[in-house]
Amino acid sequence: MFLLNGERRHCVDVSDRGFQYGDGLFETIAVYQGKPLFLQQHLDRLRAGCQRLFIPYPEQDQLKAEVKQLCEGSDTAVLKIIVTRGSGGRGYRQPDSIVPTRLLSLHPFPEYPANFQTDGVVLRFCQQRLASNPVLAGIKHMNRLEQILARAEWQGDAIQEGLMLDYDGHVVEGTMSNLFFVKDGVLYVPLLTYCGIVGIVRQKVVSLAQYNQIGIVEKQFDKTRVLEADEVFVTNSVIGIWPVKQLDQQCFKVGRITRRMQQWYAEARTEELKL
Amino acid sequence: MFLLNGERRHCVDVSDRGFQYGDGLFETIAVYQGKPLFLQQHLDRLRAGCQRLFIPYPEQDQLKAEVKQLCEGSDTAVLKIIVTRGSGGRGYRQPDSIVPTRLLSLHPFPEYPANFQTDGVVLRFCQQRLASNPVLAGIKHMNRLEQILARAEWQGDAIQEGLMLDYDGHVVEGTMSNLFFVKDGVLYVPLLTYCGIVGIVRQKVVSLAQYNQIGIVEKQFDKTRVLEADEVFVTNSVIGIWPVKQLDQQCFKVGRITRRMQQWYAEARTEELKL
């Protein structure tokens, strides 16, 4: 199911700068009972990304109407929203008048084994690093070769996610998730000022920690800090919160703070879907 | 004029990973009297990029036949070749069996004023930096947001190109060109191990310098080295060689080595087009 600039089409002109240069942004949103979860937060991040890249943010009411049109009648699904700079300009130079392309698409919700939530997942450290570029950090833009190359480092079902470092050796995030770890009752989260994507669930976890008076520290950490943690978990909008039971050769228990955070997150999700 | 996987179409499926993530490579080739200039060198770079990104390099004979089909009967034009990883896979994970998308397109040759070649062009230093990522350096991949943001820093006709630095302050290249400078009769060219694109004309200039016994030094330089140069020029496959007459507030003469290099390049081009 696709809506390309409001029409039921799934074929884009090859001159679209999203195709030529990855010149755009995207959002990946979980849909439950036809309702997109934390839609406004996703749209706010999309708007912030548009501002950063000088792409005119699409008319929000129209976007929301198209979201509704696409999601209504669906049950559990994944909604993807893409906004590109559209066609035009010469080479890298943007067109004088930008007409963004917007694409909404609905996809099946991935069937993850239930024990990923309960027992945890297996991670590895990737060789591929994340380059630091503050201008592009935090936003969910479409230049994703680094993540593609990192994900290409492993196949099969034994490993669920890979963690990526920056070129100074700081652990930043997973190829498709954000990272948290717990040590001595304090929650730690990597700083994303120089690279990485500021996830919607990451931000929700930070708020839940603050609201529930769990100490939270955001800074740059090297591998050792993560490997010496008491608990580790990863987050994104589709998986929610996955505990990490193993990272390379290091094993972790699924700890108390991780369990409480999963509980608070599930409650926040239920509340949000009632609205 | 477009050939998408051999068909006269210019609309690509939105699931193409070139659209979703910039997951692909491209070549920009000058065409004179229906002949693509230095075609084999461009295809060799495309193959090297495919190897780096684990994209199967398309069948070369078929590619060449499509190049011929598109270019025959044209006069002066710009040929663009795009190869993406095609559709499929889940998220960043590639499909088990990759079917690349190939797109060939012919475009009008830009009408640059003749005096760009003779009198030189005006450059500026960009604020936007190039992030260092050796795995992606050198190849002409489709993740081009850095160049787009750099190019967005200026409008109008007063400035023809912008030079980009890496995050350590080394001058790397222009937004759409490679850089050379001359000091005391020696030709200097920035090292492209960590970022930037290894241009076909850049490589040709390096060969011409070696062949004509002009000393050539390839290393990392800061801004001062470029601003203190005797001569500066930029290169790409469409512009050939443009002398630089001004960079920010610093003016340069169009010097002897630049003129000789333009002459040797014009001769090499003529030879190539005869073949």
Side-chain angles (χ1 to χ4, degrees):
Chain A
M1 273 269 273
F2 299 91
L3 280 177
L4 180 66
N5 296 325
E7 300 181 357
R8 291 191 179 279
R9 298 183 57 217
H10 57 90
C11 203
V12 71
D13 197 282
V14 296
S15 64
D16 196 287
R17 298 168 65 98
F19 180 71
Q20 296 277 330
Y21 308 124
D23 191 5
L25 303 135
F26 68 107
E27 289 294 330
T28 306
I29 305 168
V31 178
Y32 297 101
Q33 303 134 34
K35 275 205 63 134
L37 182 62
F38 303 129
L39 177 64
Q40 192 57 55
Q41 289 89 320
H42 281 280
L43 295 180
D44 290 345
R45 180 172 67 180
L46 182 61
R47 183 198 284 111
C50 284
Q51 281 167 350
R52 189 88 66 83
L53 299 185
F54 312 116
I55 294 174
Y57 178 62
E59 166 60 49
Q60 188 165 269
D61 287 344
Q62 181 180 53
L63 210 46
K64 285 181 162 177
E66 289 175 1
V67 167
K68 192 171 175 197
Q69 179 187 349
L70 209 60
C71 293
E72 236 165 25
S74 72
D75 186 12
T76 312
V78 175
L79 167 67
K80 191 163 181 180
I81 301 178
I82 284 175
V83 174
T84 81
R85 204 184 302 274
S87 295
R90 192 165 85 190
Y92 301 128
R93 191 182 76 187
Q94 14 194 336
D96 295 324
S97 177
I98 300 173
V99 181
T101 292
R102 66 188 186 282
L103 171 73
L104 284 75
S105 54
L106 211 56
H107 306 268
F109 202 95
E111 284 175 21
Y112 296 119
N115 69 351
F116 283 2
Q117 285 265 349
T118 51
D119 304 344
V121 292
V122 178
L123 267 55
R124 65 184 288 282
F125 280 114
C126 297
Q127 295 287 333
Q128 176 65 47
R129 301 284 179 118
L130 286 169
S132 295
N133 194 337
V135 175
L136 294 179
I139 59 174
K140 207 170 166 83
H141 59 73
M142 287 161 75
N143 278 196
R144 293 289 152 209
L145 277 171
E146 290 176 330
Q147 282 77 11
I148 286 166
L149 290 173
R151 183 59 186 87
E153 291 177 17
W154 80 93
Q155 296 91 31
D157 294 330
I159 291 169
Q160 280 73 61
E161 172 62 309
L163 290 184
M164 302 180 73
L165 279 62
D166 66 19
Y167 279 96
D168 297 314
H170 306 122
V171 183
V172 181
E173 61 181 24
T175 67
M176 52 84 165
S177 62
N178 289 123
L179 175 75
F180 288 85
F181 65 93
V182 179
K183 186 71 176 179
D184 299 329
V186 175
L187 189 60
Y188 294 86
V189 64
L191 187 69
L192 300 180
T193 305
Y194 302 104
C195 52
I197 300 174
V198 175
I200 301 305
V201 180
R202 176 193 188 270
Q203 297 308 85
K204 185 63 68 176
V205 167
V206 169
S207 302
L208 288 167
Q210 290 165 336
Y211 187 74
N212 289 286
Q213 292 173 314
I214 305 254
I216 181 151
V217 173
E218 182 187 41
K219 50 184 285 200
Q220 289 177 305
F221 309 104
D222 60 29
K223 291 173 71 163
T224 322
R225 296 291 300 275
V226 184
L227 290 167
E228 290 177 350
D230 299 324
E231 314 175 29
V232 182
F233 62 89
V234 290
T235 66
N236 79 27
S237 290
V238 175
I239 68 178
I241 295 172
W242 279 350
V244 173
K245 67 181 180 185
Q246 188 177 334
L247 169 54
D248 282 353
Q249 304 314 312
Q250 185 67 38
C251 291
F252 303 91
K253 287 199 180 81
V254 181
R256 199 177 57 90
I257 287 180
T258 302
R259 285 284 179 235
R260 288 168 75 192
M261 192 53 78
Q262 284 182 307
Q263 180 64 31
W264 295 327
Y265 179 73
E267 288 165 0
R269 203 179 79 181
T270 304
E271 272 307 304
E272 178 79 9
L273 293 172
K274 278 186 197 160
L275 297 165
Chain B
M1 274 270 274
F2 300 92
L3 280 177
L4 180 66
N5 296 324
E7 300 182 354
R8 290 192 179 278
R9 300 182 55 216
H10 58 90
C11 203
V12 70
D13 198 280
V14 295
S15 63
D16 196 289
R17 297 169 65 98
F19 181 71
Q20 296 278 330
Y21 307 125
D23 191 5
L25 304 135
F26 67 107
E27 290 294 330
T28 305
I29 304 167
V31 178
Y32 298 99
Q33 302 133 36
K35 277 205 64 137
L37 181 63
F38 303 129
L39 176 65
Q40 192 57 56
Q41 289 90 320
H42 281 279
L43 294 180
D44 290 345
R45 180 172 66 180
L46 181 62
R47 183 198 287 108
C50 284
Q51 280 166 352
R52 190 88 68 81
L53 298 186
F54 313 114
I55 294 174
Y57 178 62
E59 165 62 48
Q60 187 164 272
D61 287 342
Q62 181 179 53
L63 210 46
K64 285 180 161 177
E66 289 175 0
V67 167
K68 191 169 176 199
Q69 180 186 349
L70 210 59
C71 292
E72 237 166 24
S74 72
D75 187 11
T76 311
V78 175
L79 167 68
K80 191 164 182 178
I81 301 177
I82 284 175
V83 174
T84 81
R85 203 182 303 274
S87 296
R90 192 166 83 188
Y92 301 128
R93 189 182 77 188
Q94 16 194 336
D96 296 324
S97 177
I98 300 173
V99 181
T101 292
R102 69 186 184 282
L103 171 71
L104 285 74
S105 54
L106 211 58
H107 306 269
F109 202 96
E111 284 177 22
Y112 295 119
N115 69 350
F116 282 4
Q117 285 265 345
T118 51
D119 303 345
V121 291
V122 178
L123 266 54
R124 65 185 289 281
F125 279 113
C126 297
Q127 295 288 333
Q128 176 65 48
R129 301 284 178 117
L130 287 169
S132 295
N133 194 336
V135 175
L136 294 179
I139 61 174
K140 206 169 167 85
H141 59 73
M142 287 161 76
N143 278 197
R144 293 288 151 209
L145 277 171
E146 289 176 331
Q147 282 78 10
I148 286 166
L149 289 174
R151 183 57 185 88
E153 291 177 17
W154 80 92
Q155 297 94 31
D157 295 331
I159 292 167
Q160 281 72 58
E161 172 63 307
L163 290 184
M164 303 180 72
L165 279 62
D166 66 18
Y167 278 96
D168 296 315
H170 306 121
V171 183
V172 180
E173 61 181 25
T175 65
M176 53 85 167
S177 61
N178 290 124
L179 174 75
F180 288 85
F181 64 94
V182 178
K183 186 71 176 177
D184 298 328
V186 175
L187 189 59
Y188 293 87
V189 64
L191 187 68
L192 300 181
T193 305
Y194 302 104
C195 52
I197 300 175
V198 174
I200 302 305
V201 180
R202 176 192 188 271
Q203 298 309 85
K204 185 63 68 175
V205 168
V206 169
S207 302
L208 288 167
Q210 291 164 334
Y211 187 74
N212 289 285
Q213 293 174 315
I214 305 255
I216 180 151
V217 173
E218 181 187 40
K219 51 185 284 204
Q220 289 178 305
F221 309 104
D222 62 29
K223 292 173 70 163
T224 322
R225 296 291 299 275
V226 184
L227 290 166
E228 290 176 350
D230 299 325
E231 313 176 28
V232 183
F233 62 89
V234 291
T235 66
N236 79 28
S237 290
V238 175
I239 69 178
I241 295 171
W242 279 352
V244 173
K245 66 181 181 184
Q246 187 175 337
L247 169 53
D248 281 354
Q249 303 314 311
Q250 185 66 38
C251 292
F252 303 91
K253 288 201 179 80
V254 180
R256 200 177 57 91
I257 288 180
T258 302
R259 284 284 179 236
R260 287 168 76 191
M261 191 54 77
Q262 284 181 307
Q263 180 65 30
W264 295 324
Y265 179 72
E267 289 165 3
R269 202 178 78 182
T270 304
E271 270 310 303
E272 179 80 10
L273 292 172
K274 277 186 199 158
L275 297 164

